[in-house]
Amino acid sequence: MTTINKDDENTQMMFRIGNVRIEDRSVLAPMAGITNRAFRKVVKMHGAGLVYSEMVSAAGLCHEDKKSFEYIKIDDEEHPISVQIFGSNVDEMSRAAQIVEKAGCDIIDINLGCAISKVMRTGAGAVLLKKPELVEKIVHGVVSKVRIPVTVKMRAGFDAAHRNFLEIAKIVEDAGADAIAIHPRLASQRFTGKADWSIIKQVKEHVSIPVIGNGDVKSIYDASRMIEETKCDAVMVGRGVLGRPWMLEHISKHFSGKKVEEPSFDRKIEIARMHAGILSEMFGEKSAMLQMRKHLRWYAKGMPYSAEICSTLFRIENMKDFEDCISRLKLFNEKRKFRSL
Ligand SMILES: Cc1cc2nc3c(=O)[nH]c(=O)nc-3n(C[C@H](O)[C@H](O)[C@H](O)COP(=O)(O)O)c2cc1C
């Protein structure tokens, strides 16, 4: 009979990117406009193996743009953290990587997956998948300028004519990258269709660096199915974490065979309130409340609420409006509970 001792168990839960040990195989995806310091803090309070920043412009960092520097602020409790940079100029990407390394991140990620036209028009993001030689130069350039691990987050290709994920994965590995995260959709698909997890499996079999699988993980069961089907080293979740910052902790617990329970209505409200507080502290009340409009809608998903509450949700301007909206949600929920008795 084989017995699993604690060390083996821990080994199964962890993975490494270069010399960075990551304790859990659950990863927060980079999401522009979402995964700022406040959101990452709320996710980390619950638990996650690794968190990614929003994408940051390499040109912005090189030109000392204030907003870009705001994106690379890192708090102590966030480690290990990967900061993602985007750009298409080898020199700028290398210099930006040095700036980001100096800011204290643990891993640098290169964006080869952004399908937004504003980014692709500059030659950055997923459009780079059409230029394997440039990808090689960028990855090599960045790797040669920093001491911390460098990773790449890519899509399956640019379009049906450029479905070159295996070629790109190999180029990236040979250029010195320490891991690959793959969202297996073409850039031309954006978010339509289904993420083709067989692509994750093929990439995993094709390279020897760690592969992080991504795409359409909405539950703890999806996460374990992705690991089983693709043998990827870790699971990255984006949209599945919106309004559910506890999701990655649940995935890690599920991987280690522990039971998880959906937080109660009151606990969800408590987490949303904490999120609003952290946002206010970091960005000021006005910006926090604008951001909270979308987050509160995600937190409220699945809760009973009326069209009237929904419309107040979109008009939150200050903490008082926020609390008012929360009270309405609570009242509506109480009434529902009472009616169903
Ligand atoms: C609002 C939003 C913003 C995103 N921003 C980024 C980004 O900055 N960099 C990146 O590589 N991917 C970005 N993505 C893609 C996600 O990281 C992820 O690959 C994609 O959402 C698929 O994973 P999911 O099905 O778990 O959401 C973004 C996705 C969303 C929904």
Side-chain angles (χ1 to χ4, degrees), residues 6 19 101 134 169 222 253-254 271:
K6 196 74 196 148
N19 58 359
E101 178 180 37
L134 184 53
D222 289 340
K253 282 189 169 164
H254 180 63
I271 295 167

Side-chain angles (χ1 to χ4, degrees), residues 194-214:
K194 225 176 130 195
D196 179 356
W197 291 0
S198 73
I199 290 174
I200 302 173
K201 184 170 189 268
Q202 291 175 62
V203 172
K204 177 65 193 162
E205 286 165 359
H206 200 62
V207 296
S208 47
I209 51 178
V211 172
I212 303 171
N214 170 234

Side-chain angles (χ1 to χ4, degrees), residues 76-91:
D76 288 346
E77 62 268 34
E78 295 197 59
H79 297 285
I81 176 168
S82 172
V83 170
Q84 186 186 68
I85 53 174
F86 73 92
S88 58
N89 179 291
V90 180
D91 180 53

Side-chain angles (χ1 to χ4, degrees), residues 27-35 52-56 84-86 109-116 152-155 181-185 190-191 195 197 213-218 226 235-242 294 298:
V27 178
L28 174 66
M31 285 185 283
I34 313 277
T35 56
Y52 277 57
S53 72
E54 305 172 77
M55 60 178 168
V56 192
Q84 186 186 68
I85 53 174
F86 73 92
D109 185 67
I110 298 172
N111 183 320
L112 296 185
C114 182
I116 299 173
V152 154
K153 180 165 176 283
M154 58 184 277
R155 285 195 177 231
I182 173 125
H183 173 202
R185 280 187 175 90
R190 294 183 184 244
F191 288 95
W197 291 0
N214 170 234
D216 297 350
V217 171
K218 294 277 155 45
M226 180 183 270
V235 172
M236 173 186 271
V237 189
R239 291 164 296 171
V241 183
L242 302 178
K294 60 184 177 214
W298 289 321

